[in-house]
Each structure stands twice: as C-alpha cells, then as structure tokens.
Amino acid sequence: MNQSPRAAGAAKVPAAVAAKPPAAIAALLGEHQYQSRLLNALDKQVGLLNQELEPDVEVLYGVMHYMTNYPDRYHHPKEDLIFERLAQRDASLRPMVDKLQVAHADIGRAGAELFGLIERQRGEGAGRRATPERWREIRERASGYIVTLRRRLTASAAAEWYSYSTVWRAASPSCAPRSLTAASRSPS
C-alpha cells in the first residue's frame, strides 16, 4: 500500500513533531491558502471572459499586482531558502529543490507577462473597451497561469512540501536560519 508523502514523512518523526509544522512552514502554507483564494478571484474573471463578458479589470489588476509582488519578492525567496538548506542536509533532495527554483522563475515570468497585459488594458481602457483579441490574450495567459499555480498549490504538493519540512525539523529542531526568521516578518 502506498502512503502519501505526508504520511510517509510523519511515520519517520515523533508524533509531536509531525502534528504541527514549524512556524515558518505554517506561515508559508497559510500564504499558499491566501494565494489560492486570489487565484479563485482571477478564475472568476476568466470565467466571464469565457462567456464573452467583460471582466472587472480592477480585480484582474489587484490580483496580479499582489501575485507579482508579494510571492515573487518575499514568499518564494523564503521557500528557496528553506529548500536550499534541506538540500544541503540531504543531497537526495537536490533535484526537487532545483525543480522548485525553476518553477518559481517560470511563475514569476508568466505572472509578469500577464500583469503587463492587464496593466496595458487598464491604462488604455479608460473610456475604451478592450478589443476581443486583447481579452482573448489575457484569458489565455490567465488560464495558463492559474493552471500552473494550482499545480503548485494542490493538497498533494502541500503534503509533499510538508513531509520535507518534517524531515527538516526532525534533522534539527533549531535549523531554521536567522535570515528565514527575519524574512518571515517581511511586509505583506
């Protein structure tokens, strides 16, 4: 019988450790939940575009402004720092860490491209309706962006992520670097 990554990771550490993630991990998982809610708002706007209705460009702008600023500037660097330290402790995790860092770069580029389109529409849209071609491009890029991020924010990805964090914690309860502690207090 195959166990989930979380169950497999939890079996290797004391129950008290497996029951609750370290504070830095819990904060990052909470940020994932918030980002998922923002993706729901973005998805609703894409749904309007799919029905050939005009979306709320301010909602599109607000979601993508946040997604291209906070996660790319604060959230992903914290994840990268944690996983880099994990890979230093366990070389078998290096491929997973490298994959995560590539994903962060890809997400950043895709978000910036989508945000650029939305900014142009927002700037040009004062008193003018967007062309069908512009909305189609925004719809296609937003759909791809949502799919990519949903893959990263799924329960199974979170469970895998959490299982590595329990390995991290079991390896050394005090192994969180000072820079991570400072980074977790970054502005939201």
Side-chain angles (χ1 to χ4, degrees):
M1 175 200 269
N2 288 339
Q3 286 185 315
S4 71
R6 181 177 180 187
K12 296 176 185 173
V13 296
V17 172
K20 184 177 175 188
I25 303 299
L28 290 170
L29 292 173
E31 291 170 8
H32 283 183
Q33 291 171 349
Y34 181 69
Q35 292 164 13
S36 184
R37 288 194 300 272
L38 289 176
L39 288 178
N40 289 340
L42 184 61
D43 204 15
K44 286 180 183 177
Q45 299 305 307
V46 170
L48 293 172
L49 286 168
N50 287 337
Q51 298 171 49
E52 298 183 5
L53 299 171
E54 193 157 324
D56 185 333
V57 75
E58 293 304 317
V59 171
L60 291 169
Y61 178 85
V63 168
M64 291 311 300
H65 181 269
Y66 177 87
M67 296 299 287
T68 57
N69 282 281
Y70 183 80
D72 293 342
R73 291 183 183 174
Y74 302 104
H75 178 85
H76 293 158
K78 288 185 280 187
E79 286 181 336
D80 292 344
L81 183 62
I82 288 171
F83 279 100
E84 187 58 39
R85 292 289 295 264
L86 274 171
Q88 288 172 0
R89 293 181 184 282
D90 181 350
S92 71
L93 298 177
R94 174 57 56 198
M96 187 268 307
V97 170
D98 292 344
K99 184 177 175 183
L100 177 74
Q101 290 173 337
V102 168
H104 285 166
D106 291 346
I107 288 167
R109 276 190 298 278
E113 290 171 7
L114 175 57
F115 187 50
L117 285 171
I118 293 167
E119 279 187 307
R120 280 195 299 282
Q121 177 52 40
R122 185 174 181 246
E124 295 170 3
R128 289 188 356 203
R129 290 180 55 92
T131 64
E133 294 78 19
R134 170 73 55 82
W135 285 133
R136 187 171 25 259
E137 186 174 9
I138 289 173
R139 183 188 71 224
E140 289 169 4
R141 292 205 187 224
S143 294
Y145 183 78
I146 290 167
V147 167
T148 299
L149 264 69
R150 289 252 186 255
R151 238 182 269 134
R152 297 297 314 153
L153 297 173
T154 63
S156 63
E160 176 184 2
W161 207 86
Y162 180 83
S163 72
Y164 288 117
S165 75
T166 59
V167 170
W168 162 288
R169 189 164 187 190
S172 172
S174 62
C175 64
R178 283 197 177 126
S179 55
L180 174 62
T181 305
S184 67
R185 288 185 289 242
S186 61
S188 8

